[in-house]
Amino acid sequence: MLIPKQKSSIDILFVAPPLLWGQESHLDIKPPLNLLYLANWLNHCGFHSQVLDVNSTGFSLQEVIETVEKMQPSFIGVPFYQATRETTFTLCNMVRERFPEIKIIAGGPLVTTFPENILLNDSPVDVCVIGEGELTTEEILRHSKTLKQGIDKPSLSNIPGLAYCENGKLVFSPPRKHIENLDSLPFLDFNLIDIQWYFAFQASVDMSAWLFLTTSRGCNARCSFCATPVLWHGRMRRQSVPRLLAEISHQKALFPQASFGFMDDSFFSDKKWLQEFFTGISQINLRYCCIGRADHLTAEDVRSLAKTGCIYVAFGIETGNQKRQNTLKKFLDLDKVRSSVRLLVEHKIFCKCFFMIGFPDETPEEMVETINFAVELKRLGMGECNFFPVSIYPGTELAGFCSEKTYSSDIYQNVRSAPEKKEDIGETKLFRYANIPKNDVNMYFKTSQILKIVKLAYNKLASCQNVELSELTTGQTLTFC
């Protein structure tokens, strides 16, 4: 990204902070899509917005501050995620100290689910965007243009979808309605970030070039551990198939080497839409991947995926205990998971599954079931999986049963093993990226023990061996969170 040498007329600079400042090993293969969609919308509406993506630039915190000084935007926009709360606050505090005239707008999941955690106690953040951000941020910028000065908090109450602090108290404007017609969103401009850096980084980890898009917002499921029902109220909304195919054709003309990753939570849920997608995408020479529920796939769906260029499907499984599936309101039929994995393997589509270990009242026996179910799926041909320590997201149904102290998360960091010590696959997987709770969540194991169980799970999966209950080091039972 080019940095202006003189003060520019940038309305808002969106900054995507890294997972950890100064930790270049924690890099993402995907650009910050949420910020790209926001900046793209605002530029489409006639504003001047840019995205500073620290992942691709490799900038230090000081270099980000120097860039802000050169660009002199009227607003800084930052996303708050639970695991990177402190990283983002470090940036905001420095911006507030160095550039008090620049207003800071915060968005992201943690802002919507837990705004008091962002705004109270002398926060550097001026205003929070609750929920979907395009229309609300647009109105903030129009409001600022009208006043010809920053923002006027008393009149912010007229803009739906905001939260801000006034006289030490949290103030909410009326809720913002969702964008019903997602076809109204303009095609993404991937040149807002250094997309060639992403292609090069993907190549460095033996991937072909990939572009990522979202074709929907929300999810019809209401899993108790998931923040999506809080972030996207109501039914799932989708782009029409013609609109999606038009963007794919547009992006493919610009980046003919790219495959496409669809980042929707539930790609297979709407069968009418899915069949129309298969018909349309079959006319385009394309490789793609997607995410969905394993119990949504039929044999015919998998045949169509294979015929139309799908090479990779990811499933969120979470637990290998059927009763826990229902407790979490995931309601996933584990027999259908087995069937879907078999079908994908049969049609040579790579399958990846995600699991979670350490729910508040999850027993050691259930953890064993989850690990062994993952091993079973590997024997059926599952290509890869991830185990994540359970973190409690504020605003979720599960959080209602837990104390606020369990809401804090962090990014896993390790102490590098001695050179002569054989590398541990579990340690490597956790270090690559894991959001972990700072405090104890599970009533049977401390967080430090849950991390050891996760590492054990990775090693059992690598050797394709079942785990025995005796291999889990039982700690003293903790007070239920």
Side-chain angles (χ1 to χ4, degrees), residues 86-133:
E86 299 307 319
T87 302
T88 309
F89 262 127
T90 298
L91 170 64
C92 291
N93 281 319
M94 189 167 286
V95 169
R96 173 58 63 243
E97 179 183 343
R98 291 282 300 275
F99 316 107
E101 73 282 2
I102 297 178
K103 303 302 180 183
I104 300 174
I105 303 175
L110 192 57
V111 161
T112 296
T113 60
F114 203 12
E116 57 270 33
N117 187 260
I118 304 300
L119 284 168
L120 297 178
N121 302 319
D122 297 320
S123 170
V125 172
D126 291 290
V127 62
C128 285
V129 173
I130 307 297
E132 202 166 49

Side-chain angles (χ1 to χ4, degrees), residues 182-431:
L182 295 184
D183 285 7
S184 65
L185 298 175
F187 297 162
L188 272 188
D189 178 5
F190 284 102
N191 289 315
L192 284 168
I193 46 93
D194 185 357
I195 193 61
Q196 296 301 328
W197 179 92
Y198 280 95
F199 292 157
F201 180 62
Q202 291 161 1
S204 75
V205 293
D206 297 322
M207 290 176 60
S208 56
W210 285 82
L211 293 176
F212 296 90
L213 300 170
T214 56
T215 77
S216 66
R217 293 186 177 181
C219 181
N220 292 329
R222 289 295 179 264
C223 302
S224 65
F225 58 88
C226 183
T228 296
V230 186
L231 300 174
W232 312 104
H233 296 289
R235 63 178 177 80
M236 187 173 78
R237 295 158 289 141
R238 302 207 81 138
Q239 288 180 346
S240 69
V241 171
R243 161 63 177 77
L244 173 59
L245 296 177
E247 173 148 18
I248 290 171
S249 297
H250 169 79
Q251 303 293 359
K252 192 169 174 56
L254 295 173
F255 309 103
Q257 80 277 32
S259 302
F260 285 75
F262 302 117
M263 303 306 296
D264 309 79
D265 287 327
S266 191
F267 196 76
F268 316 120
S269 59
D270 185 334
K271 294 301 182 181
K272 182 179 179 182
W273 184 95
L274 187 63
Q275 292 308 313
E276 187 180 354
F277 170 79
F278 287 146
T279 300
I281 206 70
S282 64
Q283 306 302 312
I284 303 175
N285 182 21
L286 188 75
R287 296 199 317 165
Y288 67 95
C289 68
C290 49
I291 306 167
R293 283 180 63 102
D295 57 351
H296 283 167
L297 278 181
T298 65
E300 182 57 36
D301 291 336
V302 176
R303 282 192 290 271
S304 296
L305 285 167
K307 287 179 181 178
T308 57
C310 181
I311 63 169
Y312 181 113
V313 169
F315 296 137
I317 310 299
E318 326 314 349
T319 175
N321 176 274
Q322 192 63 65
K323 184 178 178 181
R324 176 66 57 182
Q325 284 285 339
N326 300 336
T327 301
L328 295 174
K329 297 185 178 180
K330 179 91 177 182
F331 301 117
L332 193 59
D333 184 328
L334 297 181
D335 283 335
K336 290 185 177 179
V337 174
R338 295 179 176 98
S339 175
S340 290
V341 170
R342 288 191 190 100
L343 284 167
L344 291 171
V345 172
E346 179 185 338
H347 288 84
K348 297 180 172 52
I349 298 175
F350 189 90
C351 176
K352 181 174 183 177
C353 296
F354 298 94
F355 295 90
M356 302 169 74
I357 294 177
F359 291 101
D361 61 342
E362 184 180 12
T363 65
E365 291 80 3
E366 289 178 78
M367 297 179 197
V368 167
E369 283 188 79
T370 292
I371 297 169
N372 289 344
F373 186 65
V375 172
E376 179 186 353
L377 294 182
K378 182 177 181 181
R379 289 171 181 157
L380 292 176
M382 175 186 69
E384 188 180 357
C385 92
N386 281 111
F387 297 98
F388 294 108
V390 171
S391 291
I392 305 299
Y393 290 92
T396 63
E397 183 178 338
L398 186 61
F401 297 98
C402 301
S403 68
E404 209 170 282
K405 71 177 183 179
T406 64
Y407 297 175
S408 299
S409 294
D410 209 344
I411 297 296
Y412 179 77
Q413 300 181 68
N414 68 351
V415 177
R416 289 294 189 182
S417 302
E420 66 275 8
K421 189 175 180 180
K422 185 178 180 180
E423 187 175 28
D424 180 84
I425 184 64
E427 185 74 22
T428 300
K429 288 277 192 176
L430 274 173
F431 181 70

